[in-house]
Amino acid sequence: MSPLNFQWQTIFFEWSTRDLTLEAAQSAGSARSFTSRAATKELSFVQIKKLLDSRHDKEILEGLRKVISMMYRSKPCLPFFSSVVKNIASPNIEIKKLVYIYLLHYAESEPDLALLSINTIQKSLTDQNPQVRAMALRVMSGIRVPVISQIVSLGIKKGCGDMSPHVRKAAALAIPKCYRLDPSTLPQLLDYLSILLGDKQYYVVGSAVMAFLEVCPDRIELVHKQYRSLVRKLVDMDEWGQLATIRLLTVYSRRCFPRRIKKVKPSKTKGFYDDEDADEDDTDLKGQEVQVLDSDLELFLKGCKPLLYSRNSAVVVAVVRCFLNLGTPEYIDSATGALVALLRSPQDVQYIVLYNIVSVCLVRPQSFVQYTTHFLLHTIDPPHIWRLKMEVLTLVFPHCNAHMKGIILNELEHFTKDPNNELVRESVRAIGRCAQIDTQNSLRCLNLLLKQSTSPDGNLVAEALTVIRHLIQQDPPSHKWTVIKLAKNLDTMTNPQARASIIWLVGEFSGVAEEENIAPDVLRILAKGFASESKAAKLQIVLLAAKVFVHHLNRNPPSTKSTTSAPDPSPQESNSSSLLEENGFREDAPPPPPAPPQSEHPIVILWRYILLLARYDTSYDLRDRTRLYKALLADPSSTQLANLILLAPKPVPHTPSPSEGRKDLLLGSSSLVLADATGPSGLPGYEGLPDWVKEGEEPSPKLRDESGGKVEYGEKRNVPAGEMLDSALQEQGVGIGAGVKANGLKDKSLDDWLAEDEEGSEESSEEEETDEESSEEETEGESESEEEGEQDRLVRDV
């Protein structure tokens, strides 16, 4: 065979193999799609009902699955109610589960038919399987028919004494449902709650605490005996139980432990040559206030510390909230690391955690200083994330060292050059807040802002000048040259808000000495382009003119007579004129010499010119403001009111942190995140923590002493023989262990037991020897008595 023919045969074989493989895959896919379509094919009402009425569990289970599937797809399944409910007595647990699910969903729609199944559910409460008992109790409490409230209450009572903790947990979860069904059952439910709160199983107690918070959160007297037990079980509870228990015990601590504070003098290290009586002279020094924790409160706080390592972020936030509202600063410092670690979570969790971090920073910012680098901005951070990070950086800024302060300022300066206008604005505001909080670095922050004032970005310049204005107002005398530097930028600055800020600053410094006063020159230059200025700038120009004119009047008070009115004739001139008129020489008399013209000051002329410009402006607001200033300064000899209005000292502006209004809201609450939309009072239904109880009004600590009684479940409890023996030995004070028992005898070690065994063997051998001797003596006595008896008998015979 030629190589060419062999090659063609090989290619044909490969093609045929590939075609067969593709055909097989297509046939398999079509078969699979056919079976899947057959499996997902919906059955008719008659077919499903036939499956439900079948005698075989497999068919009933298939029908129930079809019904539940239709129910969760919002299709009408109510016509199957009777066919489904009659299977509630089935011994198959899978069928019971599906029937219970259906019954909970449609019990309100068919209350009469649902009541028919109550007897069967009650019988399930006595089933041998604890899972069946728990499900029966859960379903009975979930059927929202008020008629069965007493039956549900009896079922809860039976569940509270059940041997299985799963049934007791179901009983605890059924208490709120029974209370919503019939609030008149509250006295009975309180008894059940008091039993379940003292349960030995931690997952039963967690459910009981959740029921307590929903049914009777104000009945603190039920918690007194179980307080220490709840603290011990807190670590082992599930996450939802931990959240509920922390919330309950936090409220309990506020109501039962007063806030005690004592003053501690700061400790001073004495040198070798220091006088010993030096401290006695410092009697006026005030000590530092330190919070003193109650022993039970400290037990609770220490029990919460292991929960900082929980995998649930809500539990970590709840522990931090507990430390923040109850503990000392040391507890807050120990919790900040766990809170910062949550920043590695997804962005939605990170957003909530940052709100909580900001709230803690408002109270104790120094706790986050060591984690400052975790709050540096990333380029991928969305606006709601970097806005909160900037706030944290500004809060911890005054507590950082010089190196870290430089890093923060460089970070903020970098983002002032970002193309995002919102980010630029927030960066400038953050620099301003850093300068306000830390006065030592305010000059550096001011220089950073002055660099931004020459930027071509109008929004950046306007925001920077607003912050600069706030900084200058804090210490005006030291910023005269800063205002002069800013005034030079008026020639090139075009942003209306920025120009208005600079003009306002110039007006605030219009009262300085004349050799340093640039306000009249600035006003003269601005008057030339008054018509082309924006409305905000025109308002500030008119205000600047009024301030300059007031300062001029204060420096150069006018004479008692008005300079603008004609001079009154003197008495002599009036008398001479009257005489001339009487003699008829009025017309021939020479006229009096004219008064020399008085030149007006340039500031007065400039003030009149500004008034004239504003008089014909198109803005109503500007014209009204001009008329107000003109009326104030109409009488140059009376400027008291003008001084009071125009030259009054301005309060030093303070820009608070954006989250300052959230300071009193609880950590972990939704109101903390939505405070901007809800206000300081929080969302509807928000409840804060109660105030600390006053000292002397707190309940007695003896109420928290545990009774020591054992909780028994069921009517009778079979106690193992070993447990009975141990309890009897404990009562008598006998047992293995260290220490002294109640009867005063010391427990014995293994060597003591072995020594006692050796002594016992020696004593037993000695007892055996004495027994042998006594037996020999007895035998000898018996023989002697027999010989004496024989002699007596012989004597009688004789």
Side-chain angles (χ1 to χ4, degrees):
M1 181 183 296
S2 63
L4 183 63
N5 292 335
F6 178 76
Q7 186 176 3
W8 277 108
Q9 287 181 1
T10 305
I11 294 172
F12 177 75
F13 178 74
E14 290 177 355
W15 283 355
S16 59
T17 305
R18 185 185 64 180
D19 293 340
L20 289 174
T21 306
L22 291 174
E23 289 178 1
Q26 290 176 357
S27 61
S30 61
R32 192 184 303 110
S33 63
F34 176 77
T35 55
S36 62
R37 285 195 299 270
T40 58
K41 183 179 179 181
E42 294 185 2
L43 300 178
S44 63
F45 174 79
V46 178
Q47 291 174 330
I48 295 176
K49 191 171 179 61
K50 185 178 180 181
L51 290 173
L52 295 174
D53 295 337
S54 176
R55 294 183 179 180
H56 301 285
D57 289 349
K58 186 177 180 180
E59 294 180 355
I60 296 174
L61 196 59
E62 183 66 24
L64 287 172
R65 286 172 179 167
K66 295 289 183 183
V67 172
I68 299 299
S69 175
M70 293 171 61
M71 183 178 72
Y72 283 109
R73 283 182 289 165
S74 300
K75 292 188 176 182
C77 299
L78 197 58
F80 302 108
F81 194 90
S82 57
S83 300
V84 172
V85 172
K86 72 179 182 180
N87 292 311
I88 197 170
S90 174
N92 192 332
I93 189 171
E94 296 295 330
I95 294 177
K96 276 182 178 291
K97 287 181 182 179
L98 296 177
V99 173
Y100 286 159
I101 293 172
Y102 181 87
L103 192 59
L104 287 173
H105 197 272
Y106 287 106
E108 280 188 278
S109 303
E110 293 290 339
D112 296 332
L113 292 175
L115 289 175
L116 297 177
S117 60
I118 292 297
N119 292 331
T120 308
I121 297 175
Q122 279 186 295
K123 292 179 181 178
S124 299
L125 292 175
T126 59
D127 196 275
Q128 294 182 354
N129 191 344
Q131 189 176 4
V132 175
R133 298 198 301 270
M135 280 196 309
L137 186 56
R138 192 177 301 120
V139 172
M140 185 186 294
S141 61
I143 298 175
R144 293 180 289 272
V145 181
V147 182
I148 64 170
S149 60
Q150 293 299 327
I151 300 176
V152 174
S153 179
L154 292 174
I156 295 173
K157 181 180 180 181
K158 199 168 187 178
C160 290
D162 198 282
M163 290 290 293
S164 173
H166 298 285
V167 182
R168 299 199 298 275
K169 181 178 180 180
L173 295 174
I175 289 176
K177 300 177 184 178
C178 183
Y179 177 72
R180 288 194 295 265
L181 199 63
D182 186 8
S184 63
T185 58
L186 181 60
Q188 307 169 17
L189 299 178
L190 291 179
D191 295 338
Y192 307 153
L193 272 176
S194 62
I195 296 173
L196 294 173
L197 285 174
D199 199 282
K200 291 183 177 181
Q201 298 293 334
Y202 52 86
Y203 45 86
V204 178
V205 175
S207 303
V209 170
M210 287 189 280
F212 176 87
L213 290 175
E214 188 170 350
V215 174
C216 52
D218 297 329
R219 301 295 296 270
I220 298 297
E221 64 273 8
L222 297 178
V223 187
H224 289 316
K225 280 188 177 180
Q226 317 301 338
Y227 174 80
R228 295 167 186 166
S229 175
L230 290 174
V231 172
R232 287 194 297 269
K233 296 184 180 74
L234 181 61
V235 181
D236 298 322
M237 292 181 186
D238 61 287
E239 296 164 349
W240 302 110
Q242 288 172 350
L243 290 173
T245 307
I246 291 174
R247 179 184 169 193
L248 171 63
L249 295 182
T250 303
V251 175
Y252 179 88
S253 301
R254 281 293 189 98
R255 291 184 176 179
C256 298
F257 302 126
R259 185 179 178 86
R260 296 186 177 93
I261 296 175
K262 69 176 182 180
K263 292 185 178 180
V264 179
K265 289 186 178 181
S267 60
K268 295 183 179 180
T269 58
K270 294 183 179 180
F272 183 79
Y273 295 103
D274 290 344
D275 189 5
E276 295 181 357
D277 300 331
D279 292 340
E280 297 179 359
D281 299 335
D282 301 336
T283 56
D284 297 334
L285 293 177
K286 293 183 178 179
Q288 184 181 4
E289 292 185 351
V290 179
Q291 183 181 357
V292 181
L293 297 178
D294 190 274
S295 58
D296 284 333
L297 176 58
E298 194 168 4
L299 177 68
F300 171 47
L301 295 177
K302 289 181 178 178
C304 290
K305 272 192 174 181
L307 301 183
L308 292 172
Y309 304 99
S310 174
R311 61 182 179 181
N312 193 331
S313 57
V315 176
V316 177
V317 172
V319 174
V320 177
R321 178 183 64 215
C322 172
F323 288 171
L324 184 64
N325 295 300
L326 300 178
T328 57
E330 290 75 15
Y331 282 98
I332 301 176
D333 295 341
S334 65
T336 51
L339 200 58
V340 173
L342 296 178
L343 293 177
R344 304 187 187 98
S345 306
Q347 282 188 356
D348 51 350
V349 179
Q350 188 178 356
Y351 178 57
I352 305 298
V353 171
L354 278 171
Y355 267 113
N356 292 277
I357 290 176
V358 169
S359 295
V360 180
C361 272
L362 290 171
V363 178
R364 187 169 175 79
Q366 55 268 32
S367 300
F368 292 91
V369 171
Q370 56 181 331
Y371 305 106
T372 305
T373 55
H374 291 75
F375 303 104
L376 298 178
L377 276 63
H378 301 286
T379 54
I380 60 173
D381 287 338
H384 57 274
I385 297 294
W386 55 251
R387 194 175 285 112
L388 291 172
K389 284 187 175 181
M390 278 189 181
E391 187 172 358
V392 176
L393 290 176
T394 57
L395 289 173
V396 302
F397 179 79
H399 305 279
C400 296
N401 54 25
H403 175 67
M404 189 55 65
K405 287 179 181 179
I407 292 177
I408 294 175
L409 291 178
N410 291 336
E411 180 84 0
L412 296 177
E413 184 183 6
H414 169 74
F415 285 102
T416 56
K417 304 172 185 177
D418 196 86
N420 187 355
N421 292 333
E422 187 66 25
L423 180 58
V424 170
R425 188 179 298 111
E426 291 296 329
S427 301
V428 172
R429 289 175 181 173
I431 293 174
R433 290 199 298 271
C434 291
Q436 287 182 357
I437 297 173
D438 188 9
T439 55
Q440 296 179 354
N441 291 273
S442 59
L443 184 60
R444 180 180 178 183
C445 297
L446 183 62
N447 292 332
L448 288 177
L449 295 172
L450 288 174
K451 291 180 182 178
Q452 308 303 329
S453 62
T454 58
S455 172
D457 187 359
N459 295 325
L460 173 60
V461 174
E463 195 64 39
L465 284 173
T466 303
V467 177
I468 290 172
R469 177 168 59 86
H470 292 170
L471 295 178
I472 291 175
Q473 284 184 262
Q474 291 182 354
D475 188 14
S478 62
H479 293 287
K480 295 178 182 179
W481 297 105
T482 305
V483 176
I484 296 174
K485 185 176 180 180
L486 290 174
K488 293 179 181 179
N489 295 330
L490 284 173
D491 296 335
T492 58
M493 196 169 296
T494 57
N495 187 274
Q497 196 63 36
R499 292 180 65 85
S501 297
I502 294 177
I503 296 170
W504 185 88
L505 283 173
V506 173
E508 286 297 303
F509 285 83
S510 60
V512 298
E514 292 186 2
E515 59 272 9
E516 298 178 358
N517 195 355
I518 63 170
D521 290 334
V522 172
L523 181 62
R524 177 181 57 81
I525 295 171
L526 292 172
K528 297 178 181 179
F530 183 85
S532 60
E533 294 284 353
S534 63
K535 179 183 175 181
K538 288 179 180 179
L539 288 171
Q540 295 301 327
I541 291 172
V542 173
L543 178 60
L544 174 62
K547 290 180 179 179
V548 170
F549 186 60
V550 169
H551 284 297
H552 169 71
L553 294 177
N554 292 334
R555 293 192 195 99
N556 306 303
S559 60
T560 56
K561 296 184 179 181
S562 176
T563 57
T564 58
S565 61
D568 295 335
S570 61
Q572 295 179 355
E573 291 178 352
S574 60
N575 293 333
S576 62
S577 62
S578 61
L579 291 172
L580 290 172
E581 288 178 358
E582 290 178 359
N583 296 329
F585 296 101
R586 173 72 175 174
E587 296 179 358
D588 299 335
Q598 296 181 358
S599 60
E600 293 184 339
H601 197 277
I603 292 179
V604 179
I605 299 173
L606 195 58
W607 164 244
R608 292 178 181 174
Y609 180 65
I610 295 295
L611 291 180
L612 187 62
L613 290 174
R615 180 179 179 182
Y616 297 102
D617 196 84
T618 57
S619 173
Y620 290 96
D621 191 13
L622 180 62
R623 296 201 301 268
D624 292 341
R625 191 71 60 88
T626 305
R627 281 193 290 270
L628 172 63
Y629 297 151
K630 184 179 180 181
L632 284 173
L633 301 172
D635 187 4
S637 61
S638 176
T639 59
Q640 291 85 359
L641 185 60
N643 289 329
L644 185 62
I645 294 177
L646 297 176
L647 304 181
K650 310 297 187 297
V652 178
H654 176 71
T655 306
S657 183
S659 299
E660 191 72 30
R662 300 185 178 93
K663 188 175 181 180
D664 297 329
L665 296 175
L666 283 179
L667 268 69
S669 61
S670 55
S671 297
L672 181 66
V673 181
L674 304 175
D676 294 336
T678 60
S681 58
L683 293 170
Y686 169 79
E687 293 182 2
L689 290 177
D691 296 331
W692 290 92
V693 64
K694 295 181 180 179
E695 193 166 1
E697 299 180 3
E698 72 275 11
S700 175
K702 295 181 180 179
L703 296 174
R704 290 186 288 275
D705 294 340
E706 296 176 349
S707 58
K710 298 180 180 179
V711 181
E712 295 185 357
Y713 308 110
E715 298 179 358
K716 295 181 180 180
R717 182 169 179 260
N718 296 324
V719 182
E723 186 176 345
M724 294 176 64
L725 181 60
D726 292 341
S727 60
L729 290 174
Q730 290 177 0
E731 291 176 359
Q732 295 178 2
V734 181
I736 299 174
V740 180
K741 294 295 181 181
N743 56 3
L745 297 177
K746 185 178 179 181
D747 290 339
K748 301 176 182 178
S749 62
L750 182 60
D751 297 334
D752 297 337
W753 287 101
L754 294 175
E756 287 183 359
D757 291 340
E758 293 176 358
E759 293 176 359
S761 61
E762 293 176 357
E763 291 177 358
S764 61
S765 59
E766 292 177 358
E767 289 177 358
E768 290 177 358
E769 292 177 357
T770 54
D771 290 340
E772 291 177 357
E773 293 176 356
S774 60
S775 60
E776 291 176 357
E777 291 176 356
E778 288 177 358
T779 52
E780 291 177 357
E782 289 177 358
S783 59
E784 291 177 356
S785 60
E786 289 178 357
E787 292 177 356
E788 291 177 356
E790 290 179 357
Q791 292 177 358
D792 294 338
R793 182 172 53 80
L794 292 173
V795 170
R796 285 196 300 269
D797 293 337
V798 175

